[in-house]
Amino acid sequence: MLKSSKGYFLLELLLSLSALLILSLFLLPLLTDLREQSRKLELESKARQLMYEELQTNLINNRTTSNSSSIQNGIKYLIIWYESESTGQKEVCVRVEKNSFLPEVEVCGLLE
């Protein structure tokens, strides 16, 4: 067997690079999926916070319900009010529309 103390053999380098390539082929899709899920959870959390703020200000101030939008951190949140004709309850929904960077998120709650 030949021993060389000058460095790595070409075969060793090719084997280590192929092992890294195989690992990256499995890990990169997982990492991108995790990133997308965390982004969606972050948007849902912020939308839920905006929904509760809107419900709370409506209950405290008893103001009229009108549709509006809010831009925070470069993301446009649409605040939409619905009124049920059968029960007479009002519902607020906060929506982020889907584009190339953001998933579609909608959170709704009833005004009691």
Side-chain angles (χ1 to χ4, degrees), residues 39-51 53-54 67-80 93-97 102-107:
R39 183 73 169 151
K40 186 172 182 176
L41 283 174
E42 179 184 337
L43 287 173
E44 283 179 2
S45 173
K46 187 62 179 172
R48 193 169 307 279
Q49 179 184 358
L50 285 172
M51 179 194 69
E53 287 176 4
E54 190 73 17
N67 296 341
S68 62
S69 64
S70 173
I71 298 176
Q72 295 184 1
N73 294 332
I75 301 170
K76 185 176 181 181
Y77 296 92
L78 300 173
I79 301 169
I80 304 166
C93 290
V94 177
R95 179 183 301 153
V96 176
E97 293 183 357
L102 302 172
E104 182 177 0
V105 173
E106 184 174 49
V107 177

Side-chain angles (χ1 to χ4, degrees), residues 30-42:
L30 291 175
L31 290 175
T32 55
D33 189 40
L34 283 175
R35 183 175 176 220
E36 183 179 324
Q37 286 178 1
S38 68
R39 183 73 169 151
K40 186 172 182 176
L41 283 174
E42 179 184 337

Side-chain angles (χ1 to χ4, degrees), residues 6-76:
K6 293 181 180 179
Y8 296 106
F9 284 112
L10 181 62
L11 182 60
E12 291 172 334
L13 288 173
L14 288 175
L15 284 174
S16 62
L17 287 176
S18 64
L20 285 174
L21 179 67
I22 289 172
L23 282 174
S24 66
L25 285 174
F26 288 115
L27 293 179
L28 284 177
L30 291 175
L31 290 175
T32 55
D33 189 40
L34 283 175
R35 183 175 176 220
E36 183 179 324
Q37 286 178 1
S38 68
R39 183 73 169 151
K40 186 172 182 176
L41 283 174
E42 179 184 337
L43 287 173
E44 283 179 2
S45 173
K46 187 62 179 172
R48 193 169 307 279
Q49 179 184 358
L50 285 172
M51 179 194 69
Y52 285 127
E53 287 176 4
E54 190 73 17
L55 286 171
Q56 198 171 31
T57 55
N58 193 308
L59 282 173
I60 292 172
N61 299 336
N62 201 12
R63 66 178 186 158
T64 60
T65 57
S66 61
N67 296 341
S68 62
S69 64
S70 173
I71 298 176
Q72 295 184 1
N73 294 332
I75 301 170
K76 185 176 181 181

